Amino acid sequence: MEGAERIIERIIEDANLQAKSNIEQAEEQAADIILSAQKEALKKKSDIVEKAKRDANEKKSRLIAVAELEGRKIKLKAKQEIISEVIKKALEKLNAMSREQYSDIIADMVVNSVTKGDEEIIVSQNDKAKLGNSFINKVNTRLKEKNINGNLKFSVKSDRTEDMGGGFVLRSLDIETNNSFETIIRMKYNEIEAGVVKILFG
């Protein structure tokens, strides 16, 4: 029996040693797992924070870009409104000139536009009354001084005299040259806009 007890004791002792070794090994593995999990958690936390920062910066950049674009749109709209108002006022001033001043301006424009000297001049009914027949005589006299036929006359028929906002249309047979103020402004808008912007906004 004594030998058996020793064997049992030895087995129990070996089992205890093995259990202790297994426990120590398990504890080491658990510590490694915990440390690895902590590192992974820290890395994920860092990645999440970095992503959140990137997302926040991207969102901030997008918001700034949208705000800047909206600001440019508002500024451009304000500029266009101011330019439109300036052009409107300029047209009003042209049409509000004295008969003599207005007549001189239109006469200069007509003389510089005429090629043959027998064209018809189309103007609004208001301008026709404002300019009068003396205008035609003045223009024809100036054309003759330039050795051009001075046979211009007001057009007796036109379907566009009511909607012209100043200026004139020069007709030669079926060819018309539109020198109404609105057409000139439309054709030269970019040039006018650049000049107005330079004056108003530097």
Side-chain angles (χ1 to χ4, degrees):
M1 288 295 293
E2 188 178 336
E5 286 175 358
R6 283 181 182 172
I7 290 169
I8 291 167
E9 284 176 1
R10 184 62 186 268
I11 290 170
I12 291 170
E13 188 180 338
D14 287 347
N16 283 332
L17 288 171
Q18 185 63 45
K20 186 179 178 183
S21 175
N22 287 348
I23 288 168
E24 286 175 353
Q25 198 172 18
E27 285 175 346
E28 285 177 5
Q29 287 178 348
D32 288 343
I33 290 168
I34 290 168
L35 184 62
S36 178
Q38 285 175 335
K39 286 180 180 177
E40 184 66 23
L42 285 171
K43 185 177 182 302
K44 284 184 178 178
K45 179 184 175 183
S46 177
D47 290 345
I48 290 167
V49 169
E50 284 301 315
K51 187 177 184 303
K53 283 181 181 177
R54 283 197 305 272
D55 290 347
N57 286 333
E58 285 175 9
K59 187 174 181 181
K60 181 182 174 183
S61 296
R62 283 197 301 272
L63 288 172
I64 289 171
V66 169
E68 286 177 346
L69 180 61
E70 198 60 32
R72 284 196 295 272
K73 283 181 181 177
I74 292 168
K75 190 176 178 182
L76 179 62
K77 185 181 177 185
K79 277 186 178 181
Q80 287 173 338
E81 285 174 357
I82 291 169
I83 290 164
S84 295
E85 188 62 25
V86 167
I87 289 171
K88 181 183 172 185
K89 294 290 183 188
L91 281 172
E92 287 174 0
K93 281 189 177 181
L94 280 170
N95 287 307
M97 282 181 174
S98 68
R99 178 178 176 178
E100 186 178 345
Q101 286 177 310
Y102 190 76
S103 176
D104 286 342
I105 285 175
I106 301 299
D108 287 340
M109 291 172 67
V110 170
V111 169
N112 289 326
S113 301
V114 165
T115 54
K116 295 180 180 179
D118 58 358
E119 293 91 340
E120 289 184 341
I121 302 173
I122 303 169
V123 295
S124 68
Q125 293 296 332
N126 287 338
D127 276 6
K128 191 171 183 180
K130 186 175 181 179
L131 295 169
N133 288 327
S134 60
F135 170 79
I136 291 292
N137 295 332
K138 177 168 64 175
V139 171
N140 282 329
T141 299
R142 287 181 58 181
L143 288 173
K144 287 173 183 175
E145 288 171 356
K146 292 177 67 175
N147 295 319
I148 299 174
N149 287 332
N151 296 319
L152 262 64
K153 57 184 178 294
F154 282 128
S155 174
V156 292
K157 59 176 183 176
S158 174
D159 56 356
R160 294 186 300 163
T161 58
E162 294 301 328
D163 59 1
M164 288 176 63
F168 63 95
V169 173
L170 203 63
R171 176 188 288 162
S172 177
L173 299 176
D174 294 330
I175 300 171
E176 290 186 352
T177 306
N178 194 328
N179 285 290
S180 66
F181 293 154
E182 288 180 358
T183 299
I184 292 169
I185 286 170
R186 190 164 57 248
M187 290 175 64
K188 297 282 187 178
Y189 185 83
N190 289 340
E191 189 178 324
I192 293 167
E193 182 185 41
V196 173
V197 167
K198 188 175 180 180
I199 292 167
L200 294 179
F201 307 104

